[in-house]
Amino acid sequence: MPLGGRFALAELPYAIDALAPAMSAETLTFHHGKHLKTYVDNLNAAIASTPMKGLALEDVVMQASGALLNNAGQVFNHNLFFAQLRSPQDSNAPTGRIARLIDEQFGGFDNFRALFEKAATTLFGSGWAWLSISDSDILTITQEPNASNPILRGLRPLLTADVWEHAYYVDYRNARADYLRAFWTIIDWDVVNERLG
């Protein structure tokens, strides 16, 4: 539930420079401290006079449309994105149950990674690439434009790559593929496993 009827900017669970060099402190300052903060502020302004005020963020995403959905979706997506990251690891393959599911359903991490990167690099314009799971434990990779999210398809999101330019332009300019290669070094697979439930 939003605190006092208002949503707050979620704090980063690591230092502002903890993801460098994959993601610089400057990128996080703009991406989290400015872009996400603007979405939170806009969401609070948009929801204030609606019956959805006081609902949990996921419920707002499920019920909203137009500008309210755009801002609620961006807050929801960014919260999931920032929470799944950690300091870079040279060898950062999945572990635990998510590793087993990826092996079973994609034929190994390398195949999964190639499919996920293809989804992320070929998404036209701005949006997100997601790994989600269905109620029957089927993993799915989707492209979600703008502020969309797999929960709108009845899926549970596990992992996401933000492919809006503000996520990578400071560090990688227009080289989205380079950003995605670095992205794998900062995923916290423990968080992904927790999202499996």
Side-chain angles (χ1 to χ4, degrees), residues 37-76:
K37 183 180 184 310
T38 298
Y39 294 131
V40 171
D41 292 345
N42 289 344
L43 171 59
N44 285 323
I47 205 170
S49 60
T50 74
M52 285 183 264
K53 183 178 180 182
L55 291 181
L57 183 56
E58 184 171 338
D59 293 329
V60 176
V61 171
M62 294 295 291
Q63 297 178 35
S65 61
L68 184 54
L69 174 59
N70 287 339
N71 287 286
Q74 285 293 71
V75 173
F76 187 76

Side-chain angles (χ1 to χ4, degrees), residues 6-12 27-46 71-72 74-76 78-79 82 162 166:
R6 291 180 61 82
F7 293 98
L9 178 65
E11 292 186 17
L12 292 173
T27 287
L28 279 176
T29 298
F30 280 96
H31 192 179
H32 177 269
K34 297 191 183 302
H35 286 282
L36 178 53
K37 183 180 184 310
T38 298
Y39 294 131
V40 171
D41 292 345
N42 289 344
L43 171 59
N44 285 323
N71 287 286
Q74 285 293 71
V75 173
F76 187 76
H78 278 92
N79 287 350
F82 288 121
D162 185 346
H166 64 238

Side-chain angles (χ1 to χ4, degrees), residues 49-125:
S49 60
T50 74
M52 285 183 264
K53 183 178 180 182
L55 291 181
L57 183 56
E58 184 171 338
D59 293 329
V60 176
V61 171
M62 294 295 291
Q63 297 178 35
S65 61
L68 184 54
L69 174 59
N70 287 339
N71 287 286
Q74 285 293 71
V75 173
F76 187 76
N77 294 355
H78 278 92
N79 287 350
L80 291 174
F81 176 74
F82 288 121
Q84 72 186 8
L85 305 178
R86 67 173 182 191
S87 296
Q89 310 289 317
D90 288 337
S91 177
N92 194 32
T95 58
R97 184 173 172 222
I98 191 61
R100 291 191 298 276
L101 288 171
I102 286 172
D103 285 346
E104 291 166 8
Q105 297 182 33
F106 292 102
F109 179 60
D110 288 343
N111 288 339
F112 158 71
R113 178 176 165 166
L115 290 168
F116 189 92
E117 286 184 14
K118 181 178 180 182
T121 54
T122 61
L123 176 65
F124 182 78

